[in-house]
Amino acid sequence: DQQVKQNSPSLSVQEGRISILNCDYTNSMFDYFLWYKKYPAEGPTFLISISSIKDKNEDGRFTVFLNKSAKHLSLHIVPSQPGDSAVYFCAARYNQGGKLIFGQGTELSVKP
Amino acid sequence: GAGVSQSPSNKVTEKGKDVELRCDPISGHTALYWYRQSLGQGLEFLIYFQGNSAPDKSGLPSDRFSAERTGGSVSTLTIQRTQQEDSAVYLCASSLMSGVLNYGYTFGSGTRLTVV
C-alpha cells in the first residue's frame, strides 16, 4: 500500500525553465510534508518542508505547494539549474508520529 | 561527528551469511531511523528509535532483521541468513527529536549491501 506516490519516475527540463515535481498521498492523517534531494552515492538531503496548515512555502528558488483537498503537493524549482539534477523524494509524516513515509522518487535532469 | 556516519560503505556477502551495518548518528540527536532503498524503489522505512522509548519496528520485513541502539547513540542493523532480495542501500538518519521536522532528518551516505 503506497501511501505517498510520485508517479513520474523521471523529468527532463531545460536550464532556466521551471521544474515541477508532483506527489500524491492517501492518508489524511499526514501533518507535515518534506522534499529531499539525493545525488548518486550520497544520502538524501533535506530541501524544503510544509505544514499541513499551510498551502505554500517558499525558499529561494524552491517553492512547495500543498492542496489538501486533492491530497497533492508539488515542488517548483525556478529557474532550474544543471546542479539541480538529482532524484527528488517527497515524504510525509503521520500526525506527531515521527517517522516519514517516502515516495518512490523522481529523477530530475536539467539540461544546459 | 559533523554528520551521520555509516559503515561499511559497501558490503558484499554470500547468501545465508549474517551481516551487521553500523550507524553513528549526530551527537545529541535522540531519534534514529533506518531505511532501505532497493534498485528502482523509493525509501522503505525499517525501524526507528526515539530516546528511551520502545522502537517502532513496524517496517522490518522479516524476523531475520533486527536492530539495536546502545546507549542512545550508535545503532546496529543486523540481517541474519541474508537473501538476494536483501540487496539494497541501507540508509540511516537521525534528528534532534522525532516531533521537530522544520529541517528534517540528516541522512548518512548509506551502506550498499550486495548478496551474491
Side-chain angles (χ1 to χ4, degrees):
Chain A
D1 176 26
Q2 189 73 30
Q3 298 189 65
V4 179
K5 300 178 185 178
Q6 295 176 256
N7 293 317
S8 298
S10 63
L11 175 68
S12 182
V13 172
Q14 204 68 30
E15 181 179 7
R17 305 296 289 267
I18 185 171
S19 295
I20 300 176
L21 297 105
N22 294 302
C23 178
D24 297 292
Y25 62 95
T26 58
N27 194 327
S28 58
M29 295 302 291
F30 289 143
D31 70 339
Y32 222 95
F33 302 90
L34 304 90
W35 285 93
Y36 281 80
K37 177 179 177 179
K38 185 181 185 301
Y39 292 117
E42 295 183 10
T45 55
F46 170 74
L47 192 56
I48 192 169
S49 65
I50 188 167
S51 166
S52 60
I53 63 173
K54 297 188 175 181
D55 56 17
K56 178 182 175 181
N57 187 27
E58 189 173 354
D59 183 3
R61 297 185 297 115
F62 302 92
T63 303
V64 56
F65 295 93
L66 176 62
N67 182 334
K68 284 185 66 177
S69 62
K71 293 190 175 67
H72 177 83
L73 66 156
S74 60
L75 174 68
H76 292 209
I77 306 173
V78 183
S80 302
Q81 299 173 353
D84 296 330
S85 297
V87 177
Y88 289 78
F89 289 98
C90 167
R93 184 187 78 167
Y94 285 109
N95 190 12
Q96 302 296 318
K99 73 185 181 190
L100 297 180
I101 306 299
F102 285 82
Q104 306 96 311
T106 296
E107 183 171 10
L108 173 67
S109 175
V110 180
K111 301 188 182 306
Chain B
V4 177
S5 177
Q6 292 187 246
S7 60
S9 54
N10 280 285
K11 175 73 176 179
V12 179
T13 190
E14 290 182 354
K15 178 180 172 182
K17 300 282 190 184
D18 297 352
V19 294
E20 285 189 353
L21 312 180
R22 177 187 167 104
C23 173
D24 281 278
I26 292 174
S27 178
H29 278 194
T30 59
L32 185 147
Y33 313 82
W34 283 98
Y35 286 80
R36 74 175 175 181
Q37 184 180 17
S38 304
L39 189 63
Q41 301 297 312
L43 297 177
E44 177 188 4
F45 168 76
L46 297 177
I47 186 170
Y48 105 88
F49 299 87
Q50 170 55 49
N52 295 322
S53 302
D56 177 348
K57 303 179 181 180
S58 60
L60 295 178
S62 77
D63 58 8
R64 296 186 296 105
F65 287 73
S66 63
E68 63 178 22
R69 188 178 185 193
T70 53
S73 182
V74 172
S75 177
T76 302
L77 177 69
T78 301
I79 310 172
Q80 296 178 309
R81 305 181 302 281
T82 52
Q83 304 294 313
Q84 287 185 329
E85 62 263 27
D86 299 335
S87 296
V89 175
Y90 288 81
L91 290 158
C92 175
S94 69
S95 66
L96 267 176
M97 62 183 74
S98 62
V100 178
L101 281 181
N102 55 317
Y103 56 87
Y105 303 162
T106 302
F107 279 89
S109 298
T111 294
R112 179 176 295 279
L113 175 66
T114 304
V115 182
V116 297

